[in-house]
Structures are given as structure tokens and as C-alpha cells.
Amino acid sequence: MTSRQQHAEDRTAALAGHDTAGPRVRRRTAAGRVQEAHRHRRTQVGRPVLVSLAFLAPALAALLVLRLVPAAMAFASSLSHTSLVTGETSFVGLGNYATLFADPTFLQSVRVTLLFSLIVNPLQIAAALALAVLFTRRFAGVRFLRVLVILPIAVPPAVSAAIWSVAYRPDGLLNSVLSVLGIPPQPFLTSPGQAMWSLIVLLSWIGVGYWMMFLIAGLQDIPTSLYEAAAIDGASAWSRFWHVTLPLLRRPLAFVLVANTVSNFLVFAPVQMLTNGGPQGSTNVTMFDIFTRAYTVGDLSLAQAEVMLLVLLVLAVVIVQFRLLRGRD
Amino acid sequence: MSRRLYALLATFIGLAFALPLLWALSSSLRGGSEIFQHISRLSWETLVPAEPTLGNYARLVTGDFGRAILNSLIVALVTVAAGLLISSAAAFGLSAVRFKGQGALFAIVVLSFLIPFDAIAIPLATLFRDWDLTNTYTGLILPGLGHGLAIFLLRQFFLAIPGDLVEAARIDGLGWFGVFARIYLPLSRPALVSAGLTLFIFQWQSYVWPLLIGTDAAHQLGPIALANMRGQFTIDYGELFAGSIVLTAIPLLIILRFQRHFTQSIATTGLK
């Protein structure tokens, strides 16, 4: 291990707060480390690897069976086709992918998913950032009110879907709130134009508090002296936000944006429970399309091809996440 | 803007976020016919039941739904116990001894576990069907065991344990398993709690997997029972809301109890 790696690790541990919470670490000198490394090399050639692998074995087995094998299976299956007539499976190469890209249902689900992502991600991050800024101010009751916003993260997706499905009914809670404001009753889930927005509101109710927590942690890491200096220079509140807060919040913001994008690509329970992809396919996001293809239509190979496309897309987003976070340091 | 304006805005937002849950809570305390009576015209009675009753919760105890919640608890708790063992052993393997290529191995382990589980749930379910693991606790528990974030959290913590301590224990004749069980684990309680929380929440909230693999009444999990209830012709809304509250209250209590560790675990996620 090079000293740069060691340094990076120490820094990560320190950032994670482990210096205070963790066991006390006695700082070793560089010379001591080198000496120790030599001693290790002399007495235990080859052994550390075996010890490590023995401890890693169960996790490696889980990783293989639960992640890599199914991914490989999905890939293999996506290249083959099982005839409904003869039951025979044959290799069709990229045929399933070609079928998918010629299938109007699939193309619509891609459009819906992209449109949904383009709306929901910026919206949720902007809301989370605004709330994080608001809830790091000092005023009476701020801690309690912050907890109210964070509360929904304990609600499992299926539960929030159940609660909101009743709230979205024509005679439900939301229409009664609207009527107080003098707005006529809305169809919500049964309208092709409103169904996706209804899902977005529900998902934001669950998600915004969660992402807000990361951003609050990031905001609290910004030294107040920077703000004081900016104030002395006569910077307005807006320019302080723009030139101090935002640049220093880059890492948590990048993380939150990408993690949110990934989780929104995988939205399933609310769609299945509230709209079943409808009305008129307006909420047929990719995860739901895959599920229908596999279990309602019954074409597992096509579904696996779609799984592969989704996994590739999500992995690409995860890699961008690593780039953004490691980028300019 | 003045401080008072911020407070007003924050109060309005906080109440808006809390409203659906408050409404679910009050609805869960109402008798059957009363639930929709007070919705259509918003008043204080929409949120405060006139004659609160625990009848809906009592029905949970006897019905299928209660069984489902119990199943969720079993699955989540076994996952935490077994998952912590596997993850901490892996983290130990990635931190206690040093060898060439360790960094790469760590990256592979964490990256592979980052393949979103829900995305590959369908191929995995096909595999589990071949192995006769549908409608078994094993089938429900297994996918929760390997978790990249849990391994990551524990490894970060383990790296801070001084090598001298390990060396001294080794010289005293303690085996590697002894070092793991008697030095690393007892020293790492905070990290074990964060990782355990991660594993618990993952299992408690999962929906796609139990929908694919746990379909009979004996192996249904809470979220699935809730979804199925909505598919029936006559929905018992009282029980639906009571179930929702229980399924929310359990993780909420655990999160509140271990709040510090929870924040710590998600703060670390940001550094991934």
C-alpha cells in the first residue's frame, strides 16, 4: 500500500467521523510502517491472502450467487428465444434486442422513463437543497420540524403507495384539501395527464427528506468563517449561496443526484399498486414494463434483454457517480 | 427574510410532510364506516377520531396481515444477524491483513454489490425457482445477506483498528478467528449498528423480491399483504391503515433509537 492510498484512507475514515467514534488510533510514523511492512513480508509470505480469502469466502459466494450469476443468466437468456409452440430454445444473438427496439410498448416505456427521470430528479434535488438550506437556519422548533420532513423515509414504498392510493381517491384526502383552497376535484390517478405527476408527488414525499439529510450533513461541514469572510466583503445572501455554498456542496450534491437517479430508475411498488402502468401507458416505467413482460406476457427472454439494458444504464449512472465524486480532488 | 418568516414557512412544510401519516394514524383508530365520513369535508375531525378504537389493530393480531408482519420481522432480524456475520468477516478479510491486489478486490466486492438488486430480481427469481426456494424463509432471506454498503462501512471502521494490537494478540497465540471475534467485533459496535440498520431497512422495505418469491399466505411479507389487500373486492380500510402504521412504526422506532448511527451510515454513503 502506498502512502498516498494510506493517506486517502485515513482521510476517508476521518471524514466519516471515525476518529471520534472509533477506537483510538495511535499514529504510526512512516518509518515504523515501512519497518512493519518488511517484517510482514519476511514472516508471512503468501499467507495473508489465504487468511483474507477464508474470511471473504461467504461474501464472495453471496456476491457470485446473488449478483453475478443472475446477471450472467439474464445476459445468456437475453440472447436466446424459447418457442411457445415447440418449447425449444434457440440462440438468436441480438434478436431480442432488435425486437425490443421495434416494439411500440417498449419504446413508450423508454420515453416515459426518460421523461419521468428528467422531471423527477432535478425537482427532488432542488427541493431537497432548498429544504436543507431552510432547515439549517436557526429558529424556534427547527429540529422538530426537520424530523417531520424526514419522517416519511421510515415508510416502506408499499406502505406509502397504500396510504396515497386512498388519499388520491376521488373522495380522498387530497381532493378535500383542494376544495378548501377552492380548487375543483381532480381525477389524479385515472387521468393520463395527471397520473405521472401524482406518482412524482408521492415519490418526492418519500425521497426529499432522505436526500435533504445528506445535503444538511454537507452544509454543516462548510466552515462558518467562509460565510463571515464573504459577509465582510459585502457579498449578498444570494452570492454567498452561489459562490460559497454551492461549490463546497459539490460532492454531496453529485452523490445525491446520481443516487437519486439510480433509485428513480428502479421505481416499482407505487406504479404496480397505484396505476398498473396506466392510464394509457402514461406511467409504464421500465421496471414495470420488465415485470409485465416477464409475468403477464410471459416472454422471459425479452424481459431479460430489457433487464440487461436497465442494468447497463444504472451501472453507467453509478460510474458517473464515481467520476463526479473522485473528479476534481 | 426574517427569522419568523422562515419559521412560518418551515412549519407549513413540516405539517404538509406529516399530514399523510397523521391522517393514516387517525384513520387506523376509526371504526369501519367512519373512515370516509370525515374526509370529503376537511375539518378537525378529519385528523382526530371522535371515538378512537383499537379494533383495527386487534384484527391485525388474528388475521393474515399479522402473520405477514411477523414474517417481515423474522426475515429482517435473521438477515441482520447472518448479514452482519458475513459482512464483518468480509470487511475483516479486506482490512486486518494486507496483501497486493487487496484494493482491487475491495473495489470488485463493493461494485458488484452495487448492481441494483431490484433490477436483477427477475433472473434471480428464476434461479431460486429451480432450487425450490420459492415460499421459504431461506429464499426470502438470502438476497439481503450480501450488502456492499455494510461491508464498506465495516471496513472503514476496521481500518482504524491499530495493527499493533493485532500483532500483540497474534504473538500471544490468538488465531485469526480469535482476533476477529475477540478484538475486532467488540471494538466495532457503532459500525455494526450502522451496518445492521442498513441490512434491516433493506429487507423491511423490499417489495419486488418478496412479490416474486413469497406468494403463499404462510410466507407473505408485510408490504405484499398490504398490496394484496388492495386487490380484494371489499377493502378493510381500517386494517389497511393499521397495517400501514405498524409497518412504519417498527423501522421508525429503530431509526429513532439508533439515530446517530443512522445519520453516520448515510453520511458515509456520500463518500462512496
Side-chain angles (χ1 to χ4, degrees):
Chain A
M1 170 164 288
T2 66
S3 70
R4 215 175 101 230
Q5 272 172 318
Q6 177 72 47
H7 177 71
E9 256 154 24
D10 284 347
R11 201 186 42 179
T12 331
L15 280 170
H18 289 165
D19 268 1
T20 46
R24 285 200 65 81
V25 186
R26 194 152 57 79
R27 293 259 163 240
R28 282 171 293 170
T29 60
R33 239 185 346 249
V34 171
Q35 225 172 23
E36 190 190 60
H38 276 295
R39 205 163 51 225
H40 259 277
R41 209 164 298 151
R42 227 177 314 123
T43 52
Q44 303 190 318
V45 179
R47 278 199 55 205
V49 187
L50 291 182
V51 172
S52 261
L53 286 181
F55 277 95
L56 271 164
L60 290 176
L63 181 154
L64 198 69
V65 174
L66 302 170
R67 295 295 195 284
L68 301 182
V69 169
M73 266 186 51
F75 179 62
S77 168
S78 78
L79 300 177
S80 69
H81 177 73
T82 306
S83 161
L84 288 174
V85 186
T86 59
E88 270 173 42
T89 304
S90 55
F91 181 80
V92 294
L94 295 175
N96 287 321
Y97 294 89
T99 312
L100 273 183
F101 280 103
D103 177 2
T105 318
F106 171 75
L107 291 177
Q108 196 206 11
S109 93
V110 171
R111 264 197 308 275
V112 166
T113 308
L114 290 181
L115 178 69
F116 168 74
S117 302
L118 279 178
I119 298 171
V120 78
N121 297 313
L123 198 77
Q124 290 185 341
I125 300 308
L129 180 58
L131 289 184
V133 171
L134 176 65
F135 283 106
T136 41
R137 308 255 154 193
R138 275 186 217 159
F139 49 82
V142 61
R143 292 178 79 92
F144 172 72
L145 293 169
R146 193 196 295 170
V147 169
L148 291 187
V149 176
I150 295 170
L151 216 51
I153 72 172
V155 185
V159 173
S160 51
I163 295 176
W164 282 75
S165 72
V166 185
Y168 277 135
R169 279 167 51 125
D171 57 350
L173 181 70
L174 278 161
N175 268 328
S176 61
V177 172
L178 290 185
S179 81
V180 170
L181 303 172
I183 300 168
Q186 298 296 315
F188 296 121
L189 299 172
T190 51
S191 143
Q194 291 183 4
M196 185 191 278
W197 288 100
S198 307
L199 285 180
I200 288 173
V201 169
L202 152 63
L203 291 169
S204 305
W205 179 67
I206 312 171
V208 166
Y210 186 64
W211 306 122
M212 181 188 81
M213 284 174 76
F214 292 93
L215 297 179
I216 284 180
L219 284 174
Q220 284 169 343
D221 281 345
I222 299 176
T224 46
S225 57
L226 288 178
Y227 288 108
E228 284 154 14
I232 291 169
D233 288 346
S236 69
W238 176 249
S239 77
R240 264 175 293 170
F241 176 76
W242 196 250
H243 295 291
V244 180
T245 310
L246 270 189
L248 288 170
L249 214 54
R250 192 184 62 85
R251 271 168 74 97
L253 263 180
F255 167 75
V256 161
L257 175 65
V258 184
N260 189 26
T261 310
V262 169
S263 74
N264 280 324
F265 275 130
L266 300 172
V267 164
F268 179 75
V271 177
Q272 195 233 7
M273 289 175 68
L274 293 183
T275 63
N276 257 310
Q280 293 163 35
S282 61
T283 58
N284 186 26
V285 291
T286 306
M287 264 305 280
F288 187 75
D289 195 55
I290 291 174
F291 188 83
T292 335
R293 224 172 267 281
Y295 295 107
T296 314
V297 182
D299 196 331
L300 215 53
S301 289
L302 267 191
Q304 311 275 44
E306 203 173 341
V307 166
M308 289 317 296
L309 293 175
L310 181 64
V311 168
L312 285 181
L313 180 67
V314 172
L315 275 184
V317 174
V318 170
I319 288 166
V320 170
Q321 168 176 353
F322 274 85
R323 280 278 166 81
L324 281 177
L325 291 178
R326 293 270 153 88
R328 273 184 278 151
D329 289 312
Chain B
M1 268 202 278
S2 75
R3 202 167 274 200
R4 201 174 295 168
L5 212 58
Y6 283 130
L8 198 70
L9 186 65
T11 308
F12 178 74
I13 292 169
L15 287 180
F17 271 87
L19 185 66
L21 274 181
L22 279 176
W23 175 63
L25 177 66
S26 79
S27 299
S28 75
L29 297 171
R30 288 179 202 276
S33 60
E34 216 199 325
I35 285 186
F36 281 95
Q37 216 171 307
H38 295 291
I39 298 180
S40 36
R41 258 193 48 247
L42 206 62
S43 69
W44 63 272
E45 276 182 303
T46 314
L47 285 182
V48 185
E51 291 166 38
T53 159
L54 288 174
N56 297 320
Y57 290 91
R59 280 208 303 291
L60 278 188
V61 179
T62 53
D64 277 351
F65 205 112
R67 173 72 193 261
I69 291 172
L70 195 67
N71 280 340
S72 275
L73 267 180
I74 295 172
V75 165
L77 291 178
V78 175
T79 302
V80 170
L84 277 185
L85 204 65
I86 292 176
S87 314
S88 58
F92 184 77
L94 289 169
S95 59
V97 287
R98 299 286 160 88
F99 57 89
K100 227 180 159 183
Q102 193 171 33
L105 191 60
F106 170 65
I108 291 171
V109 169
V110 172
L111 265 174
S112 330
F113 280 126
L114 281 183
I115 297 177
F117 176 72
D118 281 355
I120 55 158
I122 289 174
L124 188 63
T126 318
L127 210 62
F128 270 43
R129 233 159 261 154
D130 293 343
W131 295 339
D132 281 330
L133 287 174
T134 16
N135 287 316
T136 60
Y137 285 115
T138 319
L140 287 166
I141 290 165
L142 269 180
L145 295 185
H147 207 289
L149 179 57
I151 297 176
F152 178 85
L153 283 170
L154 288 161
R155 175 181 171 271
Q156 291 308 103
F157 203 87
F158 285 178
L159 282 173
I161 294 176
D164 305 3
L165 199 63
V166 178
E167 223 158 276
R170 294 283 296 153
I171 290 167
D172 288 349
L174 204 58
W176 281 111
F177 186 78
V179 173
F180 171 61
R182 297 225 216 135
I183 298 177
Y184 273 67
L185 289 187
L187 278 176
S188 309
R189 277 198 56 186
L192 287 169
V193 171
S194 317
L197 259 174
T198 308
L199 292 166
F200 184 89
I201 301 285
F202 174 83
Q203 276 293 27
W204 192 262
Q205 302 207 333
S206 69
Y207 181 77
V208 177
W209 183 250
L211 185 70
L212 297 175
I213 217 82
T215 41
D216 72 6
H219 295 93
Q220 235 174 39
L221 298 192
I224 307 303
L226 203 67
N228 285 347
M229 196 184 264
R230 293 196 52 261
Q232 289 157 7
F233 278 111
T234 50
I235 308 176
D236 183 338
Y237 283 104
E239 207 182 332
L240 179 94
F241 282 117
S244 299
I245 293 299
V246 174
L247 282 175
T248 302
I250 292 174
L252 188 64
L253 289 176
I254 296 178
I255 290 173
L256 289 179
R257 166 74 179 76
F258 297 109
Q259 201 176 19
R260 200 167 54 84
H261 300 293
F262 184 68
T263 338
Q264 192 185 10
S265 83
I266 72 157
T268 321
T269 331
L271 299 164
K272 229 171 9 197

